[in-house]
């Protein structure tokens, strides 16, 4: 038993399954397993459910997938009853929905809040996991399900002097629960990813002055957010199952109402190109990248879309030099496309200054501000919009030890290796919801979560019915899966820039493209694996020593 697990002394009742995390994934996993009659404990670090949506409370935080799609579909009554107000839901509304779900399905009583899982150890003799929590408990479980989220472990760069700043320093991914008032303050924000692009327009409205420290400019498409049209809501609810089905057949699992055009941009005339991009720009949101079929495959094709967005930036920003600094040069879409409300226009405000640190860096955080490119900035507050240790960060923050005491950190030292993004060799009976190697962050997370939860619940039920003690992928299946994920990514432009999809935003993290591209073929493969008796997995019957 590992040192960290054995030091926890309070032993509680064994259970069938421990679920770690009570965000969208953990809540539904609990609901499904409980419905099958399994005993389940859920541990959640936050003081309430919500996961990512519990922590990311920064101004302007909202989902970039439309509300009618970014919701559970497992309960027809729930999807009929719940009323979203806006096309893109705000963080408070999503959190209210999550709390409603927790109450409606009586989930809270199985969740222990304010509790982190520190360590997990697989006991090969018993074929069970021992889970150790920050409250000193040890729980024995046959199955562990990691519902720890893809964007839940914040990335705070190791800036010199970061602890010396006298004012407040906020991270967008760990925002205070009480409202933050920037009125009359000089504020510095570091980063220009999605969180910054959502919060900058609102912070700028409040602050006396906002300094934006930009290392890499980003492409952003207008949200054109607004109140939902009641006729659209009614029509969607009249055939919610059909709407969900059409979305599940779309490449990224959403946006079927505005399907991707499969034609080549290079075969279109300039007028056709402009008309297609303009139509999507006017509609707003992520379907912009579906304007043509070759945008994420062919660099010349991508450059046509990139030039269109750069033109939009030049039109939106008054000062040509500022517009130039805001104009990205990398492949559009290989970092996640941002969706904004008035982002570029915010740089026309007299109280907003853009500081280009692409050739330099944040040299130091001082007691009264920061130094960047050798220049000093006096600040009352700092906002770190510096993103996440995505996809693997929350998993590797736990000391997970599988067969032979091997840690997950050791196993994944050169990048995550999984079978279907659901399981990994050496760690029997451990499942990852939206793990690396699954569509996850390159899909609509909600249906992807439900697809994984349903697969895992069905699998655990199958194991019970067939008196199987342990399930674990074969090395061959895992190696082949990793090769397929890489092969698919390799024919696209996704690996062409330093994105968090590749782990490139975290110094020292192995550069490996983590998501699987393509929702429909992925779901089909998962179905096949299950219907072939869990092909690619070793199933060890009860009573047989799984250590053999
Ligand atoms: P992102 O998209 O990872 O953005 C983080 C930003 O912080 C990005 O502009 C980074 O610049 C910048 N950054 C990170 N480290 C540094 C350092 N050391 N110095 C200066 N600037 C830095 O995170 P978000 O929270 O905005 O969005 C994450 C996802 O949440 C988003 O994609 C949506 O799916 C929702 P860089 O680009 O690395 O040069």
């Amino acid at each position: 038993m590992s040192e960290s697990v054995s030091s926890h002394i309070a032993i509680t009742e064994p259970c069938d399954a421990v679920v770690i995390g009570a965000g969208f994934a953990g809540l539904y996993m609990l609901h499904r397993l409980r419905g099958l009659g399994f005993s389940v404990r859920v541990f959640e670090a936050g003081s309430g459910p919500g996961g990512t949506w519990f922590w990311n409370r920064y101004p302007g935080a909202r989902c970039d997938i439309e509300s009618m799609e970014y919701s559970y579909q497992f309960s027809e009554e729930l999807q009929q009853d719940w009323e979203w107000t806006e096309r893109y839901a705000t963080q408070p509304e999503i959190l209210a929905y999550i709390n409603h779900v927790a109450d409606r399905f009586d989930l809270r009583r199985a969740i222990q809040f304010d509790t982190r899982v520190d360590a997990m150890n697989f006991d090969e003799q018993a074929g069970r996991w021992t889970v150790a929590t920050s409250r000193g408990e040890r729980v024995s479980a046959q199955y562990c399900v990691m519902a720890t989220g893809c964007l839940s472990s914040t990335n705070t760069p190791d800036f010199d002097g970061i602890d010396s700043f006298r004012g407040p320093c906020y991270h967008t991914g760990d925002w205070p629960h009480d409202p933050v008032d920037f009125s009359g303050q000089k504020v510095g924000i570091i980063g220009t990813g999605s969180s910054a692009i959502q919060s900058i327009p609102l912070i700028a409205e409040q602050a006396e002055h906002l300094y934006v420290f930009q290392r890499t400019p980003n492409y952003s498409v207008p949200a054109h957010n607004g109140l939902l049209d009641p006729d659209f809501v009614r029509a969607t609810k009249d055939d919610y199952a059909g709407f969900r089905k059409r979305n599940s057949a779309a490449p990224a699992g959403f946006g079927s109402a505005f399907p991707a055009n499969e034609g080549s941009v290079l075969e279109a005339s300039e007028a056709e190109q402009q008309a297609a991009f303009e139509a999507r720009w006017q509609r707003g949101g992520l379907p912009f990248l579906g304007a043509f079929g070759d945008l994420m495959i062919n660099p010349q094709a991508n450059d046509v879309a990139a030039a269109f967005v750069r033109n939009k930036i030049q039109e939106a920003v008054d000062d040509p030099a500022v517009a130039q600094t805001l104009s990205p040069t990398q492949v559009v879409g290989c970092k996640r496309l941002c969706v904004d409300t008035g982002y570029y226009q915010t740089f026309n405000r007299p109280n907003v200054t853009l500081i280009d640190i692409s050739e330099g860096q944040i040299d130091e955080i001082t007691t009264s501000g920061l130094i960047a490119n050798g220049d000093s900035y006096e600040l009352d507050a700092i906002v770190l919009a510096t993103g996440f240790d995505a996809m693997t960060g929350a998993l590797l923050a736990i000391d997970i030890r599988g067969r032979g005491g091997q840690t997950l950190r050791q196993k994944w030292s050169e990048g995550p290796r999984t079978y279907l993004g659901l399981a990994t060799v050496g760690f029997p009976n451990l499942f990852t919801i939206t793990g690396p190697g699954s569509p996850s962050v390159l899909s609509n997370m909600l249906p992807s979560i439900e697809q994984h939860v349903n697969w895992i619940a069905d699998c655990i039920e199958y194991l019970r019915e067939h008196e199987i003690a342990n399930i674990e992928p074969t090395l061959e299946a895992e190696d082949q899966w990793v090769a397929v994920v890489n092969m698919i990514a390799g024919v696209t432009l996704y690996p062409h820039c330093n994105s968090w999809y590749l782990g490139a935003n975290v110094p020292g993290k192995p550069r490996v493209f983590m998501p699987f591209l393509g929702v429909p073929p992925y779901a089909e493969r998962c179905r096949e694996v299950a219907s072939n008796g869990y092909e690619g997995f070793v199933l060890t019957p009860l009573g047989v020593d799984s250590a053999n």
Side-chain angles (χ1 to χ4, degrees):
M1 183 164 289
S2 76
E3 179 69 15
S4 45
V5 169
S6 60
S7 63
H8 291 68
I9 38 152
I11 301 172
T12 61
E13 278 287 289
C15 60
D16 294 321
V18 160
V19 174
I20 300 159
F24 275 117
L27 291 183
Y28 182 44
M29 192 76 246
L30 165 63
H31 179 63
R32 275 296 321 267
L33 288 176
R34 216 165 58 179
L36 291 168
F38 291 104
S39 57
V40 188
R41 300 265 323 258
V42 182
F43 295 108
E44 165 56 54
S47 54
T52 293
W53 295 107
F54 178 87
W55 301 105
N56 281 265
R57 297 170 185 245
Y58 59 84
R62 60 174 82 234
C63 190
D64 59 9
I65 304 279
E66 300 188 24
S67 314
M68 297 302 289
E69 302 188 40
Y70 193 78
S71 53
Y72 288 121
Q73 58 192 289
F74 69 85
S75 160
E76 180 62 16
E77 293 76 20
L78 171 66
Q79 65 180 2
Q80 289 296 334
D81 289 352
W82 185 263
E83 299 288 350
W84 295 105
T85 56
E86 294 178 63
R87 179 174 169 194
Y88 295 97
T90 60
Q91 175 273 333
E93 193 168 35
I94 297 171
L95 193 58
Y97 171 73
I98 293 172
N99 276 287
H100 169 80
V101 170
D103 292 332
R104 185 177 182 126
F105 297 96
D106 187 24
L107 300 174
R108 284 179 207 273
R109 65 187 160 85
I111 307 171
Q112 190 170 314
F113 294 106
D114 298 306
T115 308
R116 271 186 190 280
V117 168
D118 293 334
M120 295 162 49
N121 190 68
F122 185 68
D123 177 340
E124 291 185 55
Q125 294 308 311
R128 293 177 69 88
W129 285 92
T130 306
V131 176
T133 75
S134 56
R135 289 173 176 254
E137 288 163 296
R138 265 172 53 195
V139 183
S140 167
Q142 187 163 7
Y143 304 103
C144 281
V145 186
M146 310 305 292
T148 40
C150 294
L151 295 167
S152 47
S153 180
T154 52
N155 170 43
T156 300
D158 190 15
F159 295 123
D160 276 353
I162 188 151
D163 295 327
S164 64
F165 183 59
R166 280 195 305 255
C169 182
Y170 308 104
H171 194 294
T172 48
D174 186 10
W175 199 261
H177 290 202
D178 296 326
V180 176
D181 186 359
F182 291 112
S183 302
Q185 296 190 2
K186 294 187 184 67
V187 181
I189 183 165
I190 302 173
T192 47
S194 186
S195 303
I197 282 177
Q198 290 186 333
S199 57
I200 282 169
L202 294 175
I203 298 175
E205 281 175 14
Q206 237 182 26
E208 179 191 310
H209 203 96
L210 178 63
Y211 297 92
V212 178
F213 297 90
Q214 173 189 274
R215 188 165 69 179
T216 313
N218 244 316
Y219 296 95
S220 188
V221 172
H224 297 309
N225 188 35
L227 293 178
L228 274 170
D229 171 4
D231 292 339
F232 167 69
V233 172
R234 190 67 276 136
T236 304
K237 287 190 173 182
D238 282 349
D239 179 27
Y240 228 142
F243 179 74
R244 301 293 196 182
K245 196 166 174 212
R246 290 189 294 281
N247 284 327
S248 70
F254 68 96
S256 66
F258 208 57
N261 165 18
E262 296 193 350
S264 164
V265 69
L266 300 177
E267 285 166 14
S269 68
E270 206 183 320
E272 288 165 340
Q273 293 171 348
Q274 293 303 305
F277 288 130
E278 189 63 33
R280 282 172 191 260
W281 189 267
Q282 292 310 329
R283 186 192 176 278
L286 297 174
F288 177 78
L289 283 175
F292 292 95
D294 48 358
L295 299 184
M296 289 311 296
I297 295 169
N298 179 328
Q300 284 79 37
N302 188 279
D303 205 42
V304 183
F308 178 90
V309 184
R310 284 194 289 267
N311 270 336
K312 289 290 185 189
I313 300 171
Q314 316 290 326
E315 281 170 25
V317 179
D318 298 340
D319 181 334
V322 175
Q324 186 60 31
T325 307
L326 284 168
S327 295
T329 51
Q330 76 266 20
V331 165
V332 55
C334 77
K335 285 189 176 193
R336 189 176 176 101
L337 190 62
C338 300
V339 178
D340 74 281
T341 299
Y343 173 65
Y344 294 118
Q345 294 80 352
T346 296
F347 292 89
N348 297 331
R349 295 177 67 104
N351 70 330
V352 176
T353 306
L354 179 66
I355 297 114
D356 177 4
I357 55 166
S358 58
E359 301 290 326
Q361 59 177 342
I362 304 291
D363 303 312
E364 188 187 345
I365 302 213
T366 64
T367 53
S368 59
L370 63 77
I371 303 174
N373 293 345
D375 297 326
S376 289
Y377 298 86
E378 292 293 304
L379 302 170
D380 300 305
I382 294 176
V383 176
L384 301 175
T386 45
F388 300 90
D389 182 354
M391 303 197 72
T392 54
L395 292 166
L396 297 179
I398 302 172
D399 180 8
I400 304 178
R401 296 178 187 225
R403 283 186 190 285
Q406 185 193 30
T407 65
L408 190 63
R409 187 170 280 282
Q410 284 161 347
K411 166 149 187 201
W412 286 4
S413 60
E414 289 175 16
R417 300 186 72 78
T418 70
Y419 180 38
L420 302 170
L422 279 161
T424 187
V425 176
F427 298 81
N429 293 5
L430 180 79
F431 298 97
T432 46
I433 302 178
T434 62
S438 74
S440 57
V441 293
L442 276 171
S443 70
N444 178 358
M445 285 299 285
L446 258 284
S448 288
I449 284 171
E450 283 183 299
Q451 185 255 338
H452 264 192
V453 168
N454 288 331
W455 192 95
I456 294 166
D458 293 348
C459 174
I460 293 178
E461 190 187 17
Y462 176 96
L463 301 180
R464 177 173 63 184
E465 276 174 11
H466 291 79
E467 301 192 335
I468 304 290
N470 289 152
I471 183 167
E472 182 183 350
T474 66
L475 196 54
E476 188 190 10
E478 181 172 286
D479 287 348
Q480 280 175 3
W481 186 253
V482 171
V484 167
V485 174
N486 287 332
M487 187 266 292
I488 297 174
V491 296
T492 72
L493 302 178
Y494 280 101
H496 286 225
C497 56
N498 295 326
S499 69
W500 55 259
Y501 299 137
L502 279 160
N505 62 325
V506 175
K509 191 167 173 175
R511 193 181 171 97
V512 173
F513 190 77
M514 293 181 280
F516 178 93
L517 285 162
V519 167
Y522 174 80
E524 181 52 32
R525 184 67 197 129
C526 290
R527 270 191 296 273
E528 273 171 17
V529 165
S531 59
N532 292 340
Y534 295 93
E535 187 183 356
F537 286 94
V538 178
L539 307 185
T540 310
L542 279 171
V544 175
D545 186 351
S546 70
N548 292 329

